[in-house]
């Protein structure tokens, strides 16, 4: 494989730092984890057979390193099931998708409780809107309205915060924050 470690450093150092800092509260821990990730990348990059899959591999190494770090230090793991669902990636997904997913988690958390509950149950627990209506004791049309309103709120928050470049498959290939004041990312 012809991937050079300096090229990987240049491309991934800043996005990986953001990725880690979004998941780790302590600045010193984040720096330690960052160094550990790049050490693992340096030692194992030759094992990646397909250069097209390097993004996914690097972020898998990062997620695993964060998890391992907290397990080693017996701290409470701050990564929630929701963030894992939002950030689960296929090999084709880019780091931009992963970073936007972490912003989306904060956005979901900031929704009013009724809409947050509707999104969490339908999108992340695979509940149908009919099942949602039974669970919440509301009409099917009421459940559908809640889910649609929650999706619209999330979309509005995302587009208010970020300028997105999306490929033909719907993957985010690049993004830029519209303002450094964005409270979600």
């Amino acid at each position: 494989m012809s991937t050079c470690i300096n090229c990987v450093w240049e491309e991934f150092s800043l996005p990986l730092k953001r990725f880690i800092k979004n998941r780790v509260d302590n600045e010193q821990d984040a720096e330690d984890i960052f160094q550990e990730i790049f050490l693992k990348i340096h030692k194992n990059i030759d094992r990646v057979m397909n250069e097209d899959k390097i993004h996914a591999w690097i972020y898998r190494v990062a997620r695993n390193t964060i998890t391992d770090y907290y397990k080693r230090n017996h701290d409470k793991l701050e990564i929630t099931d929701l963030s894992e669902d939002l950030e689960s990636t296929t090999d084709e997904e880019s780091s931009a998708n992963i970073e936007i997913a972490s912003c989306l988690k904060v956005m979901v958390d900031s929704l009013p409780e009724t809409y947050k509950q509707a999104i969490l149950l339908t999108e992340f627990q695979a509940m149908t809107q009919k099942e949602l209506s039974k669970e919440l004791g509301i009409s099917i049309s009421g459940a559908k309205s809640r889910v649609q309103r929650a999706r619209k709120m999330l979309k509005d928050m995302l587009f208010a915060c970020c300028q997105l470049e999306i490929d033909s498959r719907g993957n985010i290939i690049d993004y830029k924050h519209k303002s450094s004041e964005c409270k979600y990312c």
Side-chain angles (χ1 to χ4, degrees), residues 82 85-86 117-129 147 151 154:
L82 171 59
D85 288 341
L86 286 169
Q117 184 179 35
I119 283 292
L120 291 175
L121 292 174
T122 57
E123 299 298 331
F124 301 104
Q125 294 184 13
M127 190 178 279
T128 67
Q129 292 178 2
V147 172
R151 287 177 181 160
L154 290 172

Side-chain angles (χ1 to χ4, degrees), residues 18-24 55-64 66-67 78-106 109 124 184:
R18 279 194 307 260
F19 180 82
I20 296 163
K21 287 179 182 179
N22 284 335
R23 286 152 189 79
V24 178
H55 281 78
W57 177 76
I58 287 173
Y59 281 93
R60 189 170 43 250
V61 168
R63 278 193 309 277
N64 292 342
I66 292 168
T67 301
E78 295 295 325
I79 302 172
T80 65
D81 292 337
L82 171 59
S83 67
E84 286 298 309
D85 288 341
L86 286 169
E87 296 157 8
S88 63
T89 60
T90 64
D91 288 336
E92 298 87 38
E93 288 178 308
S94 71
S95 61
N97 282 346
I98 295 168
E99 291 180 34
I100 291 297
S102 67
C103 295
L104 192 57
K105 181 203 179 305
V106 176
D109 288 342
F124 301 104
Y184 305 111

Side-chain angles (χ1 to χ4, degrees), residues 38-184:
F38 263 96
L39 183 61
K40 288 179 181 180
I41 290 169
H42 181 71
K43 287 181 177 179
N44 298 298
I45 198 159
D46 292 334
R47 294 182 185 174
V48 179
M49 299 305 234
N50 185 341
E51 227 172 296
D52 294 337
K53 296 181 179 185
I54 194 136
H55 281 78
W57 177 76
I58 287 173
Y59 281 93
R60 189 170 43 250
V61 168
R63 278 193 309 277
N64 292 342
T65 303
I66 292 168
T67 301
D68 292 345
Y69 183 86
Y70 279 105
K71 284 179 183 176
R72 265 194 326 266
N73 293 304
H74 305 289
D75 289 338
K76 183 179 177 195
L77 187 59
E78 295 295 325
I79 302 172
T80 65
D81 292 337
L82 171 59
S83 67
E84 286 298 309
D85 288 341
L86 286 169
E87 296 157 8
S88 63
T89 60
T90 64
D91 288 336
E92 298 87 38
E93 288 178 308
S94 71
S95 61
N97 282 346
I98 295 168
E99 291 180 34
I100 291 297
S102 67
C103 295
L104 192 57
K105 181 203 179 305
V106 176
M107 291 175 187
V108 168
D109 288 342
S110 72
L111 288 173
E113 194 57 39
T114 55
Y115 298 114
K116 177 181 172 180
Q117 184 179 35
I119 283 292
L120 291 175
L121 292 174
T122 57
E123 299 298 331
F124 301 104
Q125 294 184 13
M127 190 178 279
T128 67
Q129 292 178 2
K130 185 176 181 179
E131 292 168 333
L132 176 68
S133 73
K134 287 180 184 176
E135 174 78 19
L136 300 179
I138 60 176
S139 67
I140 293 175
S141 63
K144 288 181 180 184
S145 292
R146 282 191 190 178
V147 172
Q148 289 172 346
R149 287 182 187 136
R151 287 177 181 160
K152 183 176 182 337
M153 288 175 179
L154 290 172
K155 180 180 176 183
D156 291 347
M157 283 187 247
L158 186 61
F159 284 109
C161 183
C162 301
Q163 179 180 342
L164 305 174
E165 185 178 340
I166 301 172
D167 69 11
S168 61
R169 295 184 319 200
N171 287 316
I172 299 167
I173 55 176
D174 197 14
Y175 76 98
K176 187 180 347 178
H177 294 290
K178 290 182 179 177
S179 165
S180 61
E181 305 281 320
C182 179
K183 61 184 177 183
Y184 305 111

